[in-house]
């Protein structure tokens, strides 16, 4: 079940960032302190009344026009329409209803996306000031008075948002379909690859059940394995928002990855690994998905200047946080090595769902701690007691020890490498949780 997506839209300075931060709260997740994963807060995981959802901030988009606020707002609104289940339009009680607010509200209303109107900076507790009634003119229903700074009214706002979430679909009856997100920056060749693949296979294109989002999936079977390609760039209609807007393409990639089992990260061989590639690949890593890296446009590389080994080294350096991911060199244009992708996808998926017995894990642990002594600090030595696997997708291991603070990252990495050296786990991140046992 994909989480609902809520987009926050509004003019500069109405308090979007403040609201965003207030709504995120302090819900924390298991996060690795690995270097190399850049974080750009364009989305946040939130929870309300027991339902998880993703909040996205459409702000900060730089349109290429002589930027007037209206243009920027229209672009934000379009992104919200394209990607979100519910849109929150934030306005400001101090400035009242502006012409821009009117234009954007009518654009959002025309799209029929559920729209919640937030009037921010209503800082007083109690009955809202009479100025609030002006906001009914936007035609977006009841305005919700909020003070983002003081956290007043946010509960009512979230209740209203919650009402519009799509019904929860029970996906416990998962079949053996592998869900794949083809991700990468604009022009890397996503559409070309997908069109080549689905051009060869019988494809059923459908909307995702249980969401009101504008995403299209393609289902097909290949060598007896069922696949769904998620929100696939090549078959969904081109958005009115230019795909070249970096923030937007990053956001789309993120949302596709969230619903996928496997992320196929495409890199342009003619450009090498860019910062944006690192960011996009980072999502898949952080979300614990199986990952296959496809270096595309290999046909366009003069082989004497750029060998595969040379390129592999670049990837190892720039995607150093996911050295477990297999790399294939392909050409969507000529079809070169496209078949290999499917082998890698199946393999990575199998590794991502692998379960390792507790007995085997503890054998590895015993051997590992005998080979390299656990670290000490001020006369205290780390004692590593026991390991067991607690989850798949990705494989997640709990290690019990005497003192968690002595279990340095480097020693965790060492244990991870020992597990990998026995079980492979190619193509999947793994997570290690450290627990103290007294
Ligand atoms: P954004 O540009 O829409 O992201 O707006 P910001 O979140 O950066 O806020 C713009 C300004 O409005 C900042 O000075 C905030 O402190 C202020 N602000 C935001 N929310 C409130 C609020 O609820 N009450 C008041 N009085 N000021 C607010
Ligand atoms: P997307 O934006 O990621 O969906 O990229 P497209 O599939 O639209 O491709 C962008 C451009 O790259 C197009 O002009 C394609 O013809 C070209 N292209 C895609 N794959 C290859 C490839 O394998 N080799 C070469 N030489 N060009 C490619």
């Amino acid at each position: 079940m994909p989480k609902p997506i809520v987009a926050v839209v509004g003019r500069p300075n109405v308090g979007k960032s403040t609201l965003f931060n207030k709504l995120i709260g302090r819900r924390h997740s298991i996060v690795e302190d690995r270097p190399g994963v850049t974080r750009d807060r364009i989305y946040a995981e939130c929870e309300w009344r027991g339902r998880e959802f993703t909040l996205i901030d459409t702000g900060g988009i730089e349109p290429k026009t002589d930027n007037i606020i209206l243009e920027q707002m229209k672009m934000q609104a379009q992104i919200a329409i394209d990607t979100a289940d519910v849109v929150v339009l934030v306005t400001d009680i101090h400035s009242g209803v502006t012409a821009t607010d009117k234009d954007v509200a009518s654009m959002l209303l025309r799209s029929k996306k559920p729209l919640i109107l937030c009037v921010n900076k209503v800082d007083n507790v109690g009955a809202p000031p009479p100025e609030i009634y002006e906001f009914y003119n936007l035609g977006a229903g009841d305005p919700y008075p909020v003070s983002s700074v003081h956290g007043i009214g946010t509960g009512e706002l979230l209740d209203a948002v919650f009402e519009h979430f799509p019904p929860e679909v029970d996906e416990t009856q998962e079949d053996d379909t592998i869900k794949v997100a083809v991700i990468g920056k604009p022009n890397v060749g996503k559409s070309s690859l997908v069109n080549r693949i689905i051009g060869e296979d019988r494809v059923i294109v459908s909307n995702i059940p249980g969401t009101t989002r504008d995403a299209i999936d393609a289902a097909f079977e290949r060598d007896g394995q069922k696949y769904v390609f998620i929100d696939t760039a090549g078959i969904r209609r081109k958005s009115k928002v230019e795909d070249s807007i970096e923030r937007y393409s990053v956001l789309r990639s993120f949302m596709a990855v969230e619903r996928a089992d496997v992320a196929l990260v495409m890199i342009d061989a003619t450009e090498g690994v860019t910062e944006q590639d690192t960011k996009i690949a980072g999502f898949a890593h952080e979300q614990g998905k199986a990952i296959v890296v496809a270096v595309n446009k290999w046909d366009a590389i003069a082989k004497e200047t750029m060998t595969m080994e040379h390129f592999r080294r670049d990837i190892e350096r720039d995607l150093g946080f996911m050295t477990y991911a297999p790399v294939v060199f392909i050409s969507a244009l000529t079809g070169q090595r496209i078949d290999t992708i499917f082998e890698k996808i199946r393999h990575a998926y199998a590794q991502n769902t692998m379960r390792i017995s507790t007995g085997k894990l503890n054998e590895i642990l015993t051997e590992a701690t005998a080979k390299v002594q656990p670290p000490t600090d001020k006369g205290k030595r780390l004692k590593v007691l026991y390991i067991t696997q607690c989850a798949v997708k990705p494989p997640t291991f709990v290690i019990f020890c005497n003192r968690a603070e002595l279990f340095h990252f480097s020693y965790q990495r060492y244990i991870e490498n020992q597990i990998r050296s026995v079980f492979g786990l190619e193509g999947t991140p793994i997570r290690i949780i450290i627990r103290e046992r007294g």
Side-chain angles (χ1 to χ4, degrees):
M1 178 71 198
K3 288 180 209 151
I5 291 179
V6 180
V8 176
V9 175
R11 283 183 290 113
N13 283 319
V14 294
K16 293 182 300 300
S17 313
T18 312
L19 179 66
F20 201 81
N21 286 327
K22 206 69 188 180
L23 297 184
I24 293 168
R26 269 170 302 279
R27 200 180 151 260
H28 51 91
S29 52
I30 313 158
V31 175
E32 292 173 86
D33 54 353
R34 283 193 186 212
V37 182
T38 38
R39 273 162 217 283
D40 180 6
R41 205 226 41 203
I42 58 176
Y43 68 92
E45 306 299 338
C46 302
E47 195 183 311
W48 186 246
R49 285 161 53 180
R51 185 100 187 254
E52 289 183 357
F53 65 96
T54 303
L55 192 65
I56 59 173
D57 184 359
T58 61
I61 287 150
E62 310 278 343
K64 286 186 191 135
T65 55
D66 293 337
N67 175 5
I68 31 176
I69 288 170
L70 180 61
E71 281 311 304
Q72 189 167 353
M73 289 281 301
K74 280 188 173 159
M75 204 165 281
Q76 282 184 32
Q78 189 59 50
I79 290 173
I81 291 166
D82 282 353
T83 58
D85 296 298
V86 185
V87 182
V88 176
L89 174 61
V90 185
T91 57
D92 180 341
I93 191 98
H94 296 157
S95 48
V97 174
T98 69
T100 310
D101 291 338
K102 279 188 189 150
D103 283 343
V104 173
S106 69
M107 183 176 167
L108 290 167
L109 287 167
R110 256 180 284 130
S111 78
K112 306 270 196 300
K113 264 287 130 111
L115 176 64
I116 303 297
L117 176 60
C118 167
V119 180
N120 193 31
K121 309 194 187 178
V122 180
D123 294 336
N124 59 311
V125 189
E131 289 82 21
I132 191 115
Y133 296 106
E134 183 194 348
F135 288 86
Y136 277 99
N137 292 332
L138 289 173
D142 291 333
Y144 286 85
V146 162
S147 172
S148 299
V149 163
H150 298 110
I152 304 168
T154 50
E156 286 78 0
L157 182 75
L158 286 175
D159 279 345
V161 168
F162 185 90
E163 291 302 313
H164 292 284
F165 283 167
E168 277 184 279
V169 179
D170 187 8
E171 279 191 2
T172 43
Q173 278 221 309
E174 287 216 4
D175 57 14
D176 48 2
T177 302
I178 302 180
K179 288 180 266 170
V180 182
V182 180
I183 57 173
K185 63 189 177 192
N187 288 319
V188 68
K190 297 183 295 298
S191 317
S192 306
L193 177 67
V194 168
N195 286 328
R196 175 167 275 279
I197 290 168
I198 67 183
E200 292 171 5
D201 293 283
R202 268 169 58 93
V203 176
I204 303 150
V205 174
S206 70
N207 282 301
I208 321 158
T211 69
T212 51
R213 249 172 277 153
D214 173 29
I216 295 175
D217 295 349
F220 58 97
E221 208 173 304
R222 195 171 175 119
D223 302 326
Q225 171 67 55
K226 289 187 194 139
Y227 297 92
V228 168
F229 274 40
I230 286 179
D231 189 18
T232 293
I235 48 173
R236 65 185 296 278
R237 68 173 172 73
K238 280 277 176 198
S239 163
K240 280 172 219 126
V241 180
E242 269 183 83
D243 276 344
S244 57
I245 299 163
E246 172 177 331
R247 197 180 173 84
Y248 182 52
S249 70
V250 169
L251 197 55
R252 276 222 89 96
S253 291
F254 160 70
M255 288 184 302
V257 167
E258 195 187 37
R259 294 175 44 227
D261 300 310
V262 183
L264 183 66
V265 179
M266 290 185 77
I267 309 277
D268 190 329
T270 63
E271 293 182 13
V273 183
T274 66
E275 210 182 305
Q276 196 181 349
D277 293 330
T278 307
K279 194 184 284 177
I280 289 174
F283 287 152
H285 171 78
E286 284 182 24
Q287 293 187 53
K289 305 299 179 173
I291 301 172
V292 175
V293 175
V295 179
N296 190 37
K297 309 194 187 178
W298 200 244
D299 60 283
I301 292 292
K303 297 298 169 332
E304 56 281 7
T305 54
M306 180 65 102
T307 64
M308 282 188 192
E309 281 323 303
H310 185 159
F311 215 100
R312 262 184 221 284
R313 274 200 299 278
D314 283 1
I315 290 178
E316 252 166 51
R317 184 192 59 220
D318 296 329
L319 301 179
F321 56 92
M322 39 180 269
T323 48
Y324 52 78
V327 181
V328 283
F329 295 84
I330 63 162
S331 169
L333 198 67
T334 67
Q336 190 185 16
R337 279 190 290 273
I338 301 289
D339 279 337
T340 329
I341 295 176
F342 287 93
E343 287 161 30
K344 300 286 183 200
I345 286 175
R346 287 172 83 147
H347 184 64
Y349 179 69
Q351 305 279 302
N352 188 244
T353 51
M354 185 191 287
R355 281 186 195 280
I356 305 173
S357 78
T358 302
K360 291 231 174 71
L361 284 170
N362 283 287
E363 269 172 39
I364 295 171
L365 192 68
T366 308
E367 232 174 80
T369 51
K371 231 188 307 178
V372 177
Q373 289 266 303
T376 53
D377 188 31
K378 298 191 189 80
K380 305 278 183 205
R381 180 175 293 282
L382 171 68
K383 280 202 199 73
V384 185
L385 305 166
Y386 185 73
I387 180 169
T388 185
Q389 183 174 356
C390 61
V392 294
K393 289 183 160 190
T396 304
F397 305 96
V398 187
I399 304 181
F400 293 93
C401 67
N402 61 336
R403 282 165 177 266
E405 83 272 10
L406 293 177
F407 215 131
H408 300 310
F409 181 66
S410 55
Y411 202 68
Q412 284 180 42
R413 166 99 68 159
Y414 164 68
I415 301 287
E416 170 172 347
N417 289 340
Q418 296 306 300
I419 297 171
R420 284 189 184 279
S421 72
V422 177
F423 291 101
L425 296 163
E426 300 101 6
T428 180
I430 70 176
R431 288 187 181 143
I432 292 180
I433 299 167
I434 307 296
R435 288 265 182 283
E436 278 184 17
R437 209 174 61 179

